Amino acid sequence: MEDKTTDQSSTELKIFEAAREVFQAKGLEGARMQEIADKAEINKSMLHYYYRSKAKLFEKVYQLSIIKVIPKIAELLNENLPLEQKLRSFVDKYLEIVKANPDIPLFVLHEMNKDPNRLRNFMIDQIGKKVQPFLQQIREEREKGNTVDLPAEQIMVNIMSLMIFPFIARPVFKTILDKDDEGYEAFIEERHRILPDYVVSIVMKKSS
């Protein structure tokens, strides 16, 4: 009985990993069940035994991937820290999360563009509401003259753009910078080292 349970768990894990790779690369509409079955090294009938539809499988991958990653990112914004320290911590930890899940930003972007309503409520609850205290903290520091004179929303978008774009535009930058996979990973590691201090330098005013 245990062997059967173990085999079932192993098969489900193979399906999940295969589906995550295909969905993150192609989104819900572009993915094909046959491709997922081939990648999981099972036949299509077995795939349908575990998941009767592509939508059900997508929902499972979505729940186990996106829902785990995005709340972690939102939590970073609400650490009880002074703004300068929070900026460094947020950038550092965010990049750690995204490096471990490099296809997630493109996956979310693809699905939001394809069907905004699919992720809308989740994004509002997990990001939109939780980002408000962080924006308010930036506003308060701006009032004190401690940050650059920009709206909090502009500062937030600038920070997120600096962090996310190298992952979303990876194929473009690999070509422009003439880097193979290993070279681009080194580039991301270098960026991880320099970005926390750089973000602080473009947001916080230097004390005189």
Side-chain angles (χ1 to χ4, degrees), residues 104-145:
I104 292 294
L106 187 58
F107 184 47
V108 172
L109 182 64
H110 179 277
E111 291 306 313
M112 288 293 287
N113 284 330
K114 189 73 176 178
D115 184 359
N117 291 325
R118 198 196 315 277
L119 299 181
R120 177 178 171 78
N121 290 336
F122 175 74
M123 295 296 286
I124 289 173
D125 289 339
Q126 295 298 330
I127 294 290
K129 293 177 181 177
K130 293 181 179 179
V131 78
Q132 293 307 315
F134 179 60
L135 292 174
Q136 183 57 30
Q137 185 177 15
I138 294 176
R139 293 185 190 107
E140 291 171 0
E141 293 300 319
R142 182 189 181 192
E143 287 281 332
K144 297 174 186 176

Side-chain angles (χ1 to χ4, degrees), residues 169-184:
R170 179 186 178 106
V172 175
F173 284 134
K174 281 179 63 179
T175 301
I176 292 173
L177 302 176
D178 191 24
K179 294 184 180 297
D180 57 15
D181 287 341
E182 185 176 348
Y184 199 75

Side-chain angles (χ1 to χ4, degrees), residues 156-187:
M156 176 71 183
V157 170
N158 287 345
I159 294 170
M160 297 305 296
S161 300
L162 284 167
M163 294 191 294
I164 295 174
F165 196 62
F167 293 94
I168 293 176
R170 179 186 178 106
V172 175
F173 284 134
K174 281 179 63 179
T175 301
I176 292 173
L177 302 176
D178 191 24
K179 294 184 180 297
D180 57 15
D181 287 341
E182 185 176 348
Y184 199 75
E185 291 304 321
F187 170 76

Side-chain angles (χ1 to χ4, degrees), residues 26-55:
K26 299 186 177 180
L28 175 61
E29 300 303 324
R32 296 289 177 268
M33 291 292 269
Q34 184 62 62
E35 183 179 2
I36 294 170
D38 291 344
K39 193 170 286 290
E41 299 179 336
I42 60 173
N43 59 54
K44 192 175 178 180
S45 61
M46 181 174 288
L47 177 58
H48 280 286
Y49 169 78
Y50 284 96
Y51 297 97
R52 293 185 179 181
S53 71
K54 185 172 64 170

Side-chain angles (χ1 to χ4, degrees), residues 16 23 45:
F16 172 75
F23 282 137
S45 61

Side-chain angles (χ1 to χ4, degrees), residues 64-80:
L64 295 180
S65 295
I66 307 297
I67 290 181
K68 284 185 176 181
V69 170
I70 289 181
K72 288 180 182 179
I73 293 170
E75 288 171 11
L76 299 177
L77 295 172
N78 292 313
E79 291 183 308
N80 187 23

Side-chain angles (χ1 to χ4, degrees), residues 144-157:
K144 297 174 186 176
N146 293 332
T147 72
V148 293
D149 192 21
L150 289 174
E153 292 81 1
Q154 294 290 347
I155 291 175
M156 176 71 183
V157 170

